[in-house]
Amino acid sequence: MNAESETARDTEGHAAGHGDGQGERPPAEVSVVVIGYDDAAHVTDAVRSALAQGPAVREVVAVDDCSRDGSVGLLERLSASEPRLKVIRRRANSGGCGTPRNTGLDAVTSPYVMFLDSDDVLPPGAVDALLAAAEGAHAEVAGGLCVRRELPSGREVPWQPRLYALHTVVPRPAQRTRLVHDTLCVNKLYRTAFLRAHGIRFPEGRFPYEDVVFTARLLAAAPRIALIPDRVYVWHVRRSEARLSISLDRSGVENWRARTEACRQAYEVLLGAGQKELARTARAKFLDHDLRMYVRELGLRDAAYQRAWWELTRAHLAEYDADDWARNPAAPGRLIGRVVLASAEPCDLPRLRELAARPARLYPPYARAADGTPVWSDALPQVSLEPLRARPVRALPLAVDAELRPGARGTRLRLRLHELYGRVAQAGPETVDVEWRHRDDGDAVIRGAILPLAPCAGVPGADETAGSAGRGGSGGPAGRNGSGGRGNSAGPAGPAGRGDSAGRNGSAGRGNSAGPAGPAGHGGSAGSGVTWSAEAAVDLLPLAALGAGTWDLRLRIRFRDGASRDVTAHALTGAGLLRRRAVPSARHGVVLVQPYTTHSGALALRVAPGVRGVLSVVRARLRRLLH
């Protein structure tokens, strides 16, 4: 007797493939393995979404990992009326997702199998679409689009959309190395015999990120793969739950240890199978995805976490060889990795956070070695930034400061673009398009003005490593009011040690003074030559039209030769900035406005119109205080 006890209905002969008077139904070819632990609130929704796929599903194998919340009772009651549902209860909790998935895989009887987590759902038609793709292409694996649905907002973000943009057949994974980036196991249909013949299983026990290793084992076996653009999986992201999912709970450094171990094993699996190109891509994916994601959050952790994280990361990256670092050497993840390797202790976390953003932003100081080579900093001259000189301007990690000041007389947005070792001046920035994108509804976009970018002089000799809020040594943005004419004279000293604006009658920020201080302890691009500024009014009315919500600032910088670069802007901090304000409104009476900085340091804007909007903010604040 193994570790499981089974409450099941024999599914042999229950493949719901009988005629319905309108021709023969397709054969029941697919088993769906649903795993869950203490998830009574969601597990039946997941199972029903699998059963609702129709006659192509022969059986749903629900594996309960020894829950204590009544999940099994719910599943058994459902199985009493649904002959296709088989319920398996493990006698001991495994501590992870791999063991229950393996249990389900051992129990399936269908030619094809797919996996579903208890807190997610399959959208209608998912199984039919994947099955048609697999059989039509004679493929061992078929994969489709997964969407991450943020709850309770309902905002949906596609996972790896480039990979699933078109119907494609990949004869061997090495011909489409991008497959390494999709480490999910749940958005795919697998030929059961193929998995069993190659011994492709999940790591057992408590092994977070088990799907990373499973995917590597799958690709190492070189299956024929069909890719489709259809939505085949809805991944529910519940960040407000009392118990976060394993992948979302990144509060402890053990989560990072588990991720690096999974990525290490994936590399070894691929390399051991002779899939050298896929193995290299797996390491590149770690730098571009995993490393950047955790670096964006690193500044939020305490000093003990930061030191432990830094030590783990250095040990992992020390395994990389020269070829790993030589590929795309100016990519943000590689620059971050080289900084981590070069310093024995955590350093430059605010600047690394900006570089880890998407799109990446490289902020001052823009140091040089004695021979003039661009380097990370005076403290780490061994980290060369020379590869940036060959990177196309559309891919440069351009740094833009943003300052948003809501007020009764209007809301003003001030922007400043930094130079980057002469590359920006060489490209000739001309205009910047302003766009506000709703956080929960990606289709809601408010396009602002197209602003001219005007050069403004740097401040030679200023301290590029000065601290924040009074130590940044650069003047404020020019041209605060009015239209026509360029400001030419420096204004009086502004708050928190920053010079105020020059030329108060200039338009669109066309002053000649340097802009505001850079992020978290860095002055602006002082001593690095010309910067460019722009300024515009922000109309709150269309932003408030959708009710209370959050808007992300997006910018597109256009250059003289027609090239463009999409960027986000660093949210400046300091006296009077990032404060909630009540702004009078003729339509709403009042609009509550709060500029704030995201985890990656970018500027975003919360808007709550009218009394109802204000009350929603108050209620949310009270909930946070009470919990």
Side-chain angles (χ1 to χ4, degrees):
M1 188 75 174
N2 61 19
E4 294 82 43
S5 65
E6 183 176 314
T7 303
R9 293 176 178 269
D10 184 0
T11 58
E12 296 297 331
H14 286 288
H18 305 293
D20 59 359
Q22 297 181 2
E24 198 69 24
R25 289 185 178 181
E29 299 278 2
V30 179
S31 296
V32 181
V33 174
V34 183
I35 64 166
Y37 169 67
D38 280 357
D39 198 17
H42 309 117
V43 65
T44 54
D45 289 338
V47 168
R48 286 192 174 99
S49 77
L51 294 169
Q53 296 296 309
V57 174
R58 176 186 298 181
E59 61 188 359
V60 175
V61 179
V63 182
D64 179 82
D65 203 9
C66 198
S67 294
R68 302 158 298 177
D69 68 345
S71 295
V72 171
L74 293 174
L75 291 170
E76 289 178 342
R77 284 194 291 275
L78 183 57
S79 71
S81 60
E82 178 48 72
R84 291 181 296 164
L85 176 58
K86 176 189 294 184
V87 181
I88 301 175
R89 186 185 189 191
R90 292 185 47 80
R91 289 178 176 171
N93 179 257
S94 69
C97 298
T99 297
R101 287 206 187 108
N102 288 337
T103 298
L105 182 58
D106 289 339
V108 302
T109 64
S110 305
Y112 295 93
V113 62
M114 61 187 303
F115 302 100
L116 171 62
D117 290 347
S118 62
D119 53 350
D120 301 331
V121 294
L122 299 180
V127 168
D128 283 344
L130 288 169
L131 183 60
E135 295 193 327
H138 304 288
E140 287 82 25
V141 180
L145 185 67
C146 168
V147 294
R148 290 168 52 105
R149 180 181 292 165
E150 298 274 351
L151 297 175
S153 69
R155 176 194 181 212
E156 292 189 349
V157 180
W159 172 260
Q160 296 296 325
R162 286 171 50 194
L163 193 58
Y164 298 102
L166 300 170
H167 288 270
T168 309
V169 177
V170 183
R172 289 290 181 271
Q175 296 175 275
R176 189 74 179 273
T177 58
R178 185 78 190 177
L179 288 164
V180 169
H181 287 252
D182 182 11
T183 54
L184 298 182
C185 69
V186 289
N187 59 330
K188 301 175 183 71
L189 179 79
Y190 310 91
R191 191 179 293 275
T192 308
F194 182 82
L195 297 183
R196 290 173 175 167
H198 292 274
I200 300 170
R201 296 172 70 80
F202 294 89
E204 293 279 347
R206 182 165 181 77
F207 192 102
Y209 306 107
E210 74 293 329
D211 45 358
V212 173
V213 178
F214 176 87
T215 300
R217 292 170 177 172
L218 179 76
L219 298 178
R224 182 177 175 87
I225 301 175
L227 305 176
I228 60 175
D230 306 60
R231 288 162 47 113
V232 301
Y233 197 88
V234 178
W235 174 3
H236 286 149
V237 180
R238 297 178 172 90
R239 301 185 191 277
S240 60
E241 294 281 301
R243 179 171 67 99
L244 292 174
S245 67
I246 292 174
S247 61
L248 286 179
D249 187 4
R250 299 196 290 267
S251 58
V253 77
E254 288 306 311
N255 177 277
W256 179 240
R257 188 190 305 275
R259 187 180 283 262
T260 56
E261 177 59 26
C263 291
R264 179 184 291 110
Q265 288 195 26
Y267 170 79
E268 291 172 350
V269 165
L270 292 167
L271 192 63
Q275 301 281 3
K276 294 182 180 180
E277 195 64 26
L278 291 175
R280 293 282 185 205
T281 304
R283 280 188 165 174
K285 172 258 176 189
F286 175 84
L287 295 172
D288 184 62
H289 174 70
D290 305 80
L291 184 64
R292 290 175 72 177
M293 177 169 56
Y294 281 71
V295 165
R296 288 195 294 270
E297 302 174 353
L298 192 55
L300 305 175
R301 313 301 185 193
D302 61 28
Y305 177 102
Q306 292 172 3
R307 287 192 298 271
W309 184 94
W310 200 268
E311 182 180 351
L312 283 169
T313 307
R314 294 187 83 221
H316 182 71
L317 295 180
E319 300 173 4
Y320 282 40
D321 59 30
D323 285 344
D324 292 318
W325 297 110
R327 296 186 173 204
N328 197 6
R334 282 173 175 76
L335 295 179
I336 293 169
R338 288 166 57 204
V339 170
V340 172
L341 279 177
S343 176
E345 297 290 333
C347 69
D348 295 337
L349 299 189
R351 195 170 182 227
L352 288 173
R353 178 188 70 167
E354 300 286 334
L355 187 57
R358 294 189 183 277
R361 303 183 294 267
L362 180 61
Y363 263 86
Y366 299 129
R368 294 180 184 270
D371 63 359
T373 301
V375 296
W376 176 258
S377 67
D378 292 337
L380 297 176
Q382 65 270 45
V383 180
S384 172
L385 301 184
E386 181 67 21
L388 290 176
R389 289 178 164 175
R391 199 167 177 84
V393 68
R394 66 179 180 277
L396 284 174
L398 300 182
V400 178
D401 291 326
E403 177 183 329
L404 189 71
R405 291 187 180 271
R409 296 183 179 180
T411 298
R412 305 295 296 178
L413 174 67
R414 303 182 183 99
L415 305 171
R416 190 182 68 159
L417 168 65
H418 292 263
E419 180 55 276
L420 187 63
Y421 296 112
R423 294 297 314 283
V424 180
Q426 182 183 36
E430 293 187 332
T431 61
V432 55
D433 301 2
V434 177
E435 178 181 284
W436 295 95
R437 188 171 300 171
H438 198 277
R439 176 74 55 81
D440 296 327
D441 182 359
D443 294 330
V445 175
I446 304 298
R447 291 182 172 83
I450 300 176
L451 308 176
L453 281 164
C456 48
V459 185
D463 182 5
E464 290 188 344
T465 60
S468 62
R471 293 161 52 205
S474 61
R480 295 206 171 198
N481 296 306
S483 62
R486 296 192 181 199
N488 296 313
S489 61
R498 294 200 311 272
D500 203 352
S501 59
R504 294 186 173 240
N505 292 324
S507 66
R510 291 175 175 244
N512 293 325
S513 68
H522 298 298
S525 59
S528 61
V530 174
T531 59
W532 294 262
S533 65
E535 180 173 344
V538 176
D539 185 0
L540 297 178
L541 192 60
L543 299 179
L546 291 184
T550 299
W551 297 82
D552 292 305
L553 177 64
R554 297 287 187 268
L555 306 172
R556 174 169 292 178
I557 300 170
R558 299 185 185 275
F559 297 91
R560 184 171 49 234
D561 65 354
S564 64
R565 172 62 163 147
D566 291 336
V567 299
T568 55
H570 167 77
L572 288 176
T573 60
L577 296 174
L578 306 185
R579 292 176 56 187
R580 184 182 293 121
R581 295 179 181 273
V583 178
S585 169
R587 173 171 295 183
H588 302 287
V590 66
V591 176
L592 206 58
V593 181
Q594 183 179 17
Y596 79 101
T597 180
T598 68
H599 282 176
S600 68
L603 179 69
L605 182 64
R606 294 189 182 101
V607 176
V611 175
R612 180 176 298 178
V614 173
L615 289 176
S616 71
V617 172
V618 172
R619 284 194 295 269
R621 186 173 181 82
L622 286 174
R623 281 197 298 270
R624 288 194 297 271
L625 291 173
L626 293 174
H627 291 84

